[in-house]
Amino acid sequence: MTSAVAADSGKATPALAALAYHDGEFVPLERAQVPVTTQALQYGTGVFEGIRAYAQADGGLAVFRGHDHYQRFLRSARTLRIRLEPDARELCALTAELLRRIGADTDMYIRPLAYKRALLPGTPPGVQLTGVSDALSVNAFRMGSYTDRRGIRVAISSWRRPESAVLPVRAKVTGGYVNNALAVDEARAAGYDDAILLNSRGQVAEASTSNVFAVVRGRLVTPPVTADLLEGITRDTAVTLAADLLDVPTDFHDLGREDLCLADEVFLTGTGAEIVPVTEIAGRPVGDGVPGPLTTALTAAYHEVVRGKDQRYRHWLQSVGPGTG
Ligand SMILES: Cc1ncc(COP(=O)(O)O)c(C=O)c1O
């Protein structure tokens, strides 16, 4: 990686790229700023994505399922009446260009953000989605795998996942992440790594930034989208790889907290977390308290796929090309 990326300062502090895409141009990161009057800052009216780019077996860098992430991004944006000029294909091209300019040659995390910015002339102040300008930024930082493959310990949060009649939970809306932040904060304060949130009906929704899978009586199960969760792209990858490579179909049905306690295996899926075994829930071991065979096999398959080692899934990888940074 070139000097355009700050020295890696460890897990807690991401190595932010020195360049970002902001308001239609590539600018030094310190110029990618927003005023305090920004509507999204005041009201949480922004949408975002988290996308990974992986160093490939052939030495290049490739974005994993970027087009799927940007399609979800555009759907989220529409929910908040945020109009973006680039389409999903153009957003992928813009992201590749950013990574090239940064000179990225190792695992990266990409953070697109679209948000409500300023009141248009004639719009009175207040909470609203119309009469406000829209803006787009994309920044990136160096980030390798950070979750412990030996498994994590999770709490069942006392915070409930809001139902979709309260917030559009299927969209990645910045303001909605107050719920996730409170759940993580509570879990960490109690000594856990993460939290699983139940929905308003008391069924499992998702973890703070990942989806939940369980192996129950030999069946792989994940809650349906109607359980008030974000329809994760890694969730879809896990379902696909389990079916294609391990011959394990996924059942989409509600899971109660008791199902989790009785499960043989539990794992989480998310772009950031990737596939991570859960070995303890609310103080009780999951199964034997170690990552189970299906979780282990699926994790191995996932890492082969994202590194371009399995040609069957090359279509999920968009090559970034040589850097110019
Ligand atoms: C609340 C929530 N659920 C699930 C996920 C997993 O989604 P994905 O696999 O698309 O990253 C995320 C991460 O984006 C998230 O923030």
Side-chain angles (χ1 to χ4, degrees):
M1 178 154 306
T2 70
S3 57
V5 175
D8 199 344
S9 43
K11 184 172 151 185
T13 315
L16 285 165
L19 211 63
Y21 178 84
H22 189 68
D23 291 345
E25 52 180 346
F26 295 97
V27 296
L29 185 64
E30 59 273 15
R31 275 186 44 211
Q33 308 236 341
V34 295
V36 287
T37 50
T38 302
Q39 292 275 299
L41 187 59
Q42 301 189 4
Y43 303 126
T45 46
V47 299
F48 68 107
E49 268 302 322
I51 309 173
R52 271 186 185 269
Y54 285 96
Q56 298 295 290
D58 65 5
L61 184 74
V63 177
F64 185 63
R65 302 195 67 171
H67 196 263
D68 295 320
H69 279 281
Y70 277 124
Q71 281 186 319
R72 185 173 69 187
F73 185 57
L74 293 172
R75 280 197 301 274
S76 297
R78 276 202 299 277
T79 309
L80 292 194
R81 296 185 186 278
I82 296 172
R83 271 193 300 275
L84 296 177
E85 266 176 35
D87 61 19
R89 197 181 48 81
E90 290 163 333
L91 288 163
C92 288
L94 185 159
T95 300
E97 178 63 17
L98 175 66
L99 294 174
R100 274 195 294 276
R101 287 184 185 227
I102 289 166
D105 60 4
T106 187
D107 295 355
M108 299 290 291
Y109 188 83
I110 302 131
R111 169 48 52 82
L113 174 68
Y115 55 99
K116 289 285 170 194
R117 186 166 41 196
L119 298 176
L120 294 171
T123 306
V127 187
Q128 54 215 319
L129 296 176
T130 56
V132 186
S133 65
D134 302 319
L136 168 69
S137 286
V138 185
N139 76 284
F141 48 91
R142 189 172 2 165
M143 190 172 82
S145 296
Y146 60 78
T147 41
D148 195 336
R149 288 212 201 167
R150 290 168 304 175
I152 61 166
R153 300 170 56 244
V154 305
I156 301 283
S157 184
S158 71
W159 294 96
R160 291 285 171 108
R161 192 82 188 113
E163 56 182 311
S164 51
V166 176
L167 270 179
V169 285
R170 289 194 220 171
K172 266 181 93 70
V173 174
T174 56
Y177 277 73
V178 167
N179 174 249
N180 314 53
L182 288 166
V184 168
D185 182 67
E186 178 188 65
R188 295 217 178 122
Y192 292 97
D193 300 304
D194 198 357
I196 287 176
L197 288 92
L198 306 180
N199 59 27
S200 54
R201 290 176 279 112
Q203 303 292 318
V204 173
E206 58 188 337
S208 68
T209 50
S210 50
N211 295 115
V212 179
F213 285 76
V215 178
V216 184
R217 288 184 287 274
R219 309 282 302 181
L220 183 59
V221 184
T222 196
V225 283
T226 47
D228 296 324
L229 51 87
L230 185 80
E231 205 171 352
I233 287 156
T234 322
R235 173 180 179 269
D236 178 70
T237 303
V239 168
T240 305
L241 299 185
D244 289 2
L245 306 181
L246 308 177
D247 209 15
V248 175
T250 304
D251 295 341
F252 298 88
H253 66 67
D254 278 330
L255 284 169
R257 62 183 295 164
E258 198 184 354
D259 294 316
L260 293 185
C261 293
L262 297 174
D264 299 318
E265 301 182 39
V266 174
F267 61 89
L268 308 181
T269 62
T271 299
E274 302 174 304
I275 297 181
V276 55
V278 175
T279 47
E280 186 189 315
I281 299 176
R284 292 159 185 263
V286 175
D288 299 330
V290 293
L294 200 150
T295 309
T296 305
L298 200 54
T299 306
Y302 185 79
H303 286 278
E304 293 273 300
V305 166
V306 298
R307 300 271 171 216
K309 292 181 187 165
D310 189 330
Q311 291 305 315
R312 287 169 289 188
Y313 301 97
R314 277 295 312 175
H315 58 284
W316 277 342
L317 290 160
Q318 177 206 0
S319 187
V320 167
T324 56

